[in-house]
Amino acid sequence: MPRFFFHVIDDAVSQDDEGLDLPDLEAARAEALAGIREMICGQVNQGYLILHHRVDIEEENGGTVLSLTFGDALTIEP
């Protein structure tokens, strides 16, 4: 099972040194979206939301395979 690392890029860069073993990139994407949505809740509870913050998903070999912004995790309706 491949290992994926989830690096958070917001006002700073938080490197994931442990990663998670997941079956495929789609599972890693779902994991990242769930984490982003938790971080969004924290931001909203503090009265702000920064949609360009992001999570980069990296494979074990060190290559970034997907980058998701906080905005990618939401559908905003008026």
Side-chain angles (χ1 to χ4, degrees), residues 3 5-7 14-20:
R3 181 171 291 264
F5 299 86
F6 302 86
H7 308 302
S14 300
Q15 294 280 48
D16 175 6
D17 296 326
E18 294 181 25
L20 291 173

Side-chain angles (χ1 to χ4, degrees), residues 1-7 20-34 36 55-68:
M1 193 171 299
R3 181 171 291 264
F4 294 93
F5 299 86
F6 302 86
H7 308 302
L20 291 173
D21 293 328
L22 297 166
D24 55 27
L25 181 58
E26 188 55 37
R29 181 181 186 279
E31 186 73 28
L33 288 172
I36 288 170
V55 172
D56 290 342
I57 303 173
E58 186 178 293
E59 290 180 316
E60 264 183 299
N61 68 9
T64 299
V65 292
L66 186 61
S67 184
L68 295 167

